[in-house]
Amino acid sequence: MEETTEAAPLPDDVVREILLRVPAVDVATLFRCAVTCKQWRAVVADLSFLRQHWPEKAPHPSSVLGFFDSPYGNQWPLFISPEKVLGARRRSLGSFLVAAAPPDILNRAVPLAARGGLLVVRLPAWRLAGDSLRLAVCDILKGTCDVLPPLQCRVSQCGCAILTREDCCSLDGQQAQTPSTGYSAFFKVLAMIVGTNDQDCNLYAFSSSQATWSEPRKCFDQVWQRDTFGLRIILRPSWATVCRGVAYWLGSYSTDHRSSPRCFTFGVNVKTGETSSTELLIPANQLSLPSFGRMLSVADGNLSLLILQKEGLQLHTWTRGDDGTWLRTRAIELKPPKQVWDPVHVSILSGEKSGALFMSDAYGFVYKTDPEKGAMQDVTEEMFHARLSFWAVPIEMDWPALFMSRLAV
């Protein structure tokens, strides 16, 4: 009988060199390689390998930008991306969750905010009795879902900010507190709740280290309400912008019924919880120009304001300096595709880290927009195979972090 010899396994450094040759854009193939055997799994799950495969300054970024949305007719929120995420461009939120969530708790949930791989969703109102709000926090990287206790309040509109452990400990180097029993990770949620009218606006805070909601804090005192008209926090988009340890919402008001609206930021200090309202020092004649939409963003580590002007279809970027002054740092003319698009209601969706820019119009068509040249590419059918609603929430996932969590050895 002929003897058979087992082939000796390849050394780790040889396997590493082979797997580094898998194209960075072909994430699904690399993941299939990782689950081939224990040795390959250990090589791919090594953080140094992942950072070498996706260098931070490489042309192909180490993160993927997608959107969580709740299109009509779907039971669970969908993740929709221009790139295939482990083999698919559309995935149910449930496909990311490896830990058991309460049965059907996320049916018809509405995404509100995302940051650092965490997603906040609002649970359907029909699950609750009376005036109350129920939120859940899903960790896309770890695959967990934490349902928060009910918030007893009257809600006509709701906006959120989700803060990660890094947000809460990066300012002074101190470690964030550990989560209390029953929660999978440390996080904070800031909920901006509008009640019976725009001035009935309250801020609530929740920390997984304490597991209770704070008492409501009024956003506008009587002085603000007496001296202004049309005072409101703009909760579309529903998420806050986090910059340098502060979560910001955009607000607007007028000095009288005939004057043009002015803009201000409502900020919440991540560490102390202190709030501040600061008027945007931008020339009134610029803010009064007719526009399709405005949105706060972050550019090169600084708070910025994106304004899509109607005249000339220009996208203006205003950036706040260290002294609080705002300068227009960019103005580009958008070049929509030849087919007709409807810019009357535009959602401006930008990446948390990559700076990628997408726009969604009134019909839900999605356009990948070049922030330097203004060219717009319709990616609705080709890449998304779905239209986005006005409530789509952008989320950026870091490939190395996703691989580390799913291939932990």
Side-chain angles (χ1 to χ4, degrees):
M1 187 173 177
E2 228 176 87
E3 292 186 6
T4 58
T5 6
E6 290 187 4
L10 294 173
D12 285 354
D13 57 344
V14 175
V15 173
R16 184 187 182 97
E17 287 302 318
I18 293 173
L19 295 178
L20 282 173
R21 284 167 169 74
V22 176
V25 295
D26 197 352
V27 180
T29 296
L30 184 61
F31 195 84
R32 285 194 292 268
C33 291
V35 298
T36 300
C37 63
K38 290 183 178 179
Q39 183 194 19
W40 287 26
R41 181 188 185 99
V43 170
V44 174
D46 184 75
L47 183 57
S48 64
F49 169 86
L50 294 170
R51 289 302 179 193
Q52 187 176 354
H53 193 70
W54 286 294
E56 297 208 0
K57 296 184 178 180
H60 185 77
S62 65
S63 60
V64 58
L65 174 65
F67 308 91
F68 272 103
D69 198 8
S70 294
Y72 296 110
N74 286 284
Q75 296 296 310
W76 285 59
L78 288 178
F79 176 78
I80 305 171
S81 173
E83 298 185 50
K84 289 185 177 181
V85 180
L86 306 184
R89 289 193 176 99
R90 300 181 67 194
R91 298 172 64 96
S92 165
L93 172 58
S95 69
F96 289 96
L97 304 180
V98 294
D104 299 328
I105 194 70
L106 295 175
N107 276 3
R108 302 192 183 280
V110 178
L112 292 178
R115 181 171 174 80
L118 299 177
L119 173 71
V120 183
V121 297
R122 179 178 179 177
L123 303 183
W126 54 266
R127 295 188 179 277
L128 303 170
D131 293 331
S132 57
L133 173 73
R134 198 84 187 263
L135 304 177
V137 175
C138 300
D139 190 324
I140 305 303
L141 299 180
K142 293 183 179 179
T144 59
C145 177
D146 292 313
V147 179
L148 308 190
L151 181 56
Q152 302 299 328
C153 60
R154 179 169 295 180
V155 183
S156 64
Q157 295 184 70
C158 175
C160 278
I162 177 70
L163 306 170
T164 66
R165 178 179 293 273
E166 289 71 24
D167 290 323
C168 299
C169 67
S170 60
L171 296 179
D172 53 12
Q174 295 181 358
Q175 291 296 315
Q177 296 176 339
T178 55
S180 67
T181 304
Y183 291 94
S184 57
F186 175 84
F187 57 82
K188 285 185 179 181
V189 175
L190 302 177
M192 183 74 70
I193 307 297
V194 176
T196 55
N197 56 67
D198 287 338
Q199 287 75 50
D200 179 19
C201 188
N202 292 283
L203 177 70
Y204 297 81
F206 178 90
S207 171
S208 61
S209 64
Q210 298 175 353
T212 57
W213 285 100
S214 69
E215 292 297 317
R217 179 182 300 183
K218 286 190 175 295
C219 297
F220 306 125
D221 57 26
Q222 293 182 353
V223 174
W224 266 87
Q225 296 185 36
R226 185 175 62 246
D227 298 337
T228 59
F229 294 88
L231 176 65
R232 67 188 181 108
I233 300 289
I234 301 172
L235 294 180
R236 185 179 176 274
S238 60
W239 60 90
T241 298
V242 181
C243 180
R244 297 188 181 184
V246 180
Y248 292 98
W249 278 273
L250 185 65
S252 67
Y253 73 96
S254 301
T255 54
D256 56 57
H257 290 293
R258 292 170 295 180
S259 64
S260 300
R262 300 184 181 183
C263 291
F264 66 93
T265 58
F266 183 88
V268 183
N269 187 289
V270 169
K271 181 181 177 183
T272 65
E274 294 180 355
T275 62
S276 60
S277 299
T278 308
E279 186 167 350
L280 271 64
L281 301 179
I282 296 177
N285 63 338
Q286 293 294 323
L287 287 177
S288 62
L289 293 175
S291 67
F292 291 119
R294 298 168 180 167
M295 189 191 84
L296 290 176
S297 183
V298 177
D300 299 324
N302 295 310
L303 188 65
S304 63
L305 177 68
L306 303 178
I307 304 177
L308 181 56
Q309 304 282 16
K310 288 185 177 181
E311 185 178 352
L313 199 59
Q314 291 190 343
L315 181 66
H316 291 194
T317 302
W318 292 81
T319 304
R320 188 185 65 180
D322 294 335
D323 59 354
T325 59
W326 290 76
L327 297 176
R328 187 169 60 186
T329 52
R330 182 183 295 164
I332 58 171
E333 182 179 347
L334 298 183
K335 303 168 185 174
K338 292 181 180 179
Q339 60 265 38
V340 178
W341 77 300
D342 187 351
V344 175
H345 299 287
V346 177
S347 295
I348 305 173
L349 306 164
S350 61
E352 182 182 325
K353 294 180 180 179
S354 66
L357 186 64
F358 288 83
M359 292 191 181
S360 176
D361 68 8
Y363 296 115
F365 288 98
V366 184
Y367 304 89
K368 187 176 182 180
T369 305
D370 187 330
E372 299 290 340
K373 299 179 180 179
M376 300 175 66
Q377 176 190 359
D378 186 351
V379 296
T380 311
E381 298 300 327
E382 175 187 353
M383 305 176 85
F384 287 83
H385 303 287
R387 299 183 185 183
L388 291 182
S389 75
F390 287 155
W391 307 109
V393 171
I395 183 171
E396 221 163 25
M397 289 187 289
D398 184 65
W399 283 128
L402 181 61
F403 271 65
M404 287 288 288
S405 66
R406 298 304 167 91
L407 299 176
V409 291

